[in-house]
Amino acid sequence: MKDIKSFLSNVTLNDEHKVFVIIKPGFENLIEKICETFKNKGYKIIKMKTKRLLESEAKELYKMHKDEEFYDSLCKYMSSDKTTAFILYKKTANNIFKEFAKIKDDIREKYGESDMRNVIHSSDSYKNFKHESEIYF
């Protein structure tokens, strides 16, 4: 019975306390360390999926950058190999996207290789959370 209650509580978690995150291609060896970081900061992983994005999915995911010089190469990179995405949950009084941005910046600083190969992407607003998670999941 306890497992059913736990499952049902995850189903009804408030979306305003969720963030969408992708570990980019080439960084699968860091997934365990990065998940540990999420957990240490109080986030619960409520969904996780590994897949290779289609280039069309990458283009939709990053459409806010479609007029940028790097857009095509970013989409090719994001569809070049497997990615792992998460929906994380944390009940917080703060804006979850601003709070998570610091964690994302710390991970990028620690493990990133370049502006594009920066390990991790995360949603930066509720609207983008909904859009991005629907593309991936």
Side-chain angles (χ1 to χ4, degrees):
M1 189 66 161
K2 184 178 178 184
D3 291 338
I4 292 171
K5 286 181 182 178
S6 175
F7 171 76
L8 290 175
S9 69
N10 282 342
V11 171
T12 59
L13 295 175
N14 189 334
D15 280 352
E16 283 122 32
H17 298 288
K18 295 178 186 174
V19 63
F20 173 78
V21 178
I22 294 180
I23 306 300
K24 294 182 175 185
F27 296 99
E28 61 277 347
N29 60 317
L30 297 174
I31 290 173
E32 194 172 314
K33 287 180 184 178
I34 292 171
C35 286
E36 197 61 37
T37 300
F38 299 157
K39 290 177 185 177
N40 289 341
K41 298 293 185 178
Y43 289 84
K44 292 182 176 137
I45 297 169
I46 59 172
K47 273 192 182 178
M48 177 180 167
K49 182 177 182 180
T50 298
K51 76 177 196 173
R52 184 174 181 167
L53 288 168
L54 299 172
E55 193 168 339
S56 60
E57 290 172 316
K59 286 184 176 202
E60 184 63 24
L61 190 67
Y62 288 102
K63 73 180 183 180
M64 74 285 283
H65 298 302
K66 69 180 178 195
D67 295 328
E68 302 288 342
E69 185 178 301
F70 60 84
Y71 176 71
D72 287 332
S73 53
L74 174 62
C75 293
K76 284 181 181 154
Y77 164 59
M78 288 301 293
S79 59
S80 69
D81 205 349
K82 291 185 290 184
T83 59
T84 299
F86 304 88
I87 294 180
L88 304 177
Y89 174 85
K90 181 178 180 184
K91 183 140 182 147
T92 178
N94 301 319
N95 178 306
I96 193 164
F97 306 107
K98 288 181 182 178
E99 182 178 299
F100 194 81
K102 178 163 179 15
I103 296 166
K104 176 175 65 177
D105 290 345
D106 291 345
I107 291 169
R108 286 178 168 180
E109 185 177 321
K110 188 171 185 177
Y111 302 114
E113 297 173 359
S114 68
D115 285 344
M116 189 179 306
R117 291 183 53 84
N118 59 15
V119 185
I120 190 171
H121 165 86
S122 68
S123 52
D124 60 2
S125 68
Y126 177 72
K127 179 182 173 186
N128 287 341
F129 162 77
K130 294 296 281 179
H131 176 73
E132 294 168 352
S133 60
E134 287 172 5
I135 292 167
Y136 205 94
F137 292 99

